[in-house]
Amino acid sequence: MEQAGSLSARGSTGSAAPDIRTASVRVPAQARAADVERERGVASDESRSVSGARGEHTHSEPPIPHPRVESARSVETARPVETARPVVQRASVRGQILDALRTALVAGELAPGQVYSAPVLGERFGVSATPVREAMQQLALEGAVEVVPNRGFRVVRRGTRELAELAEIRALLEVPVVLRLARTVPAARWAELRPLAEAAARAASAGCRATYAECDRAFHHAMLALAGNDQLVQIADDLHRRAQWPLVGGPVPRGRADLMADAAEHLALLDALTAQDLPAVQSLVREHFADN
């Protein structure tokens, strides 16, 4: 995948952009009438399949060309060679763009208050504006951006009060659940979460905020999943993601030392949970949310 440049107010991004390429089109040799009729039927089926998988494009923008199997010819053997190319589904493209935009938000590359255009971002990602617009609309539903008619999407300005409110809600949801799990989950299950905590520690040591944010969410997601309540996990994950967005006029973004301290709390919490040390679990989990 190619790396894009850092985002400006016009909409460029520093996150890893999906490398979406299409196959070149070659003119096939002339076929007999029967072959032509058969190929027409196949082409019609392909057209219906692509339309169903990709969905409708809006705003008169050209659709993303659908990768296909290209018929090439070997120079040495002069025999046809079939080169298989991966089929990129529309939902996959939108998902890749959404992940890249979320990473850019956490990294601070999408600046609060700035307006970003879907066509400009689409050029950076190498796709049409449609999947970028769809990804931005999802971010609008999550509260990360707001729609600016005829211009694009503005990154929402957030303050320290909102961050404190999110931390309070997360604590109200997660602390009781973790304390209940501490009494019922066996040590072997907690040991399964240690690789996630160690991955977060490595990301923190590297000082990469975007990677650490992903590892942090993965650890909390896995821990809450032990409760068996899918709705709880979904709500907590959404709150956690929103708490990671950058602030306007707030404190300096968390540096390497802060990330390492946060990651160390994950490991200490796992140790206490494994030992079923309930007082230590209660102290650590409350301190963890107070720090966030």
Side-chain angles (χ1 to χ4, degrees), residues 86-254:
V87 176
V88 180
Q89 300 293 339
R90 177 182 179 83
S92 175
V93 175
R94 180 180 58 187
Q96 292 178 59
I97 300 298
L98 181 58
D99 288 343
L101 290 173
R102 282 172 170 165
T103 299
L105 272 172
V106 173
E109 294 162 359
L110 286 172
Q114 295 292 343
V115 177
Y116 296 91
S117 162
V120 172
L121 288 174
E123 291 179 3
R124 295 287 181 176
F125 286 124
V127 299
S128 77
T130 301
V132 178
R133 187 175 293 110
E134 291 172 347
M136 281 294 205
Q137 288 169 348
Q138 176 59 38
L139 290 178
L141 291 175
E142 296 175 3
V145 301
E146 57 188 8
V147 179
V148 181
N150 302 320
R151 292 186 60 193
F153 300 85
R154 178 185 291 112
V155 178
V156 173
R157 295 177 179 270
R158 304 170 58 245
T160 54
R161 177 175 179 177
E162 181 177 349
L163 183 61
E165 291 173 347
L166 289 171
E168 181 180 4
I169 297 172
R170 289 185 61 209
L172 290 172
L173 286 175
E174 297 192 36
V175 170
V177 174
V178 174
L179 293 178
R180 175 165 57 86
L181 293 174
R183 298 182 178 91
T184 58
V185 175
R189 295 299 302 277
W190 293 119
E192 296 174 0
L193 272 61
R194 187 162 294 274
L196 296 174
E198 292 173 345
R202 289 192 296 271
S205 180
C208 180
R209 282 185 292 151
T211 303
Y212 180 77
E214 295 178 5
C215 294
D216 186 28
R217 288 199 312 274
F219 175 79
H220 281 264
H221 181 102
M223 182 168 59
L224 294 177
L226 294 174
N229 188 327
D230 293 339
Q231 297 302 315
L232 168 69
V233 173
Q234 182 178 347
I235 293 172
D237 189 64
D238 177 64
L239 292 171
H240 196 169
R241 188 187 303 279
R242 290 170 59 188
Q244 294 173 331
W245 296 337
L247 302 178
V248 173
V252 176
R254 303 172 74 188

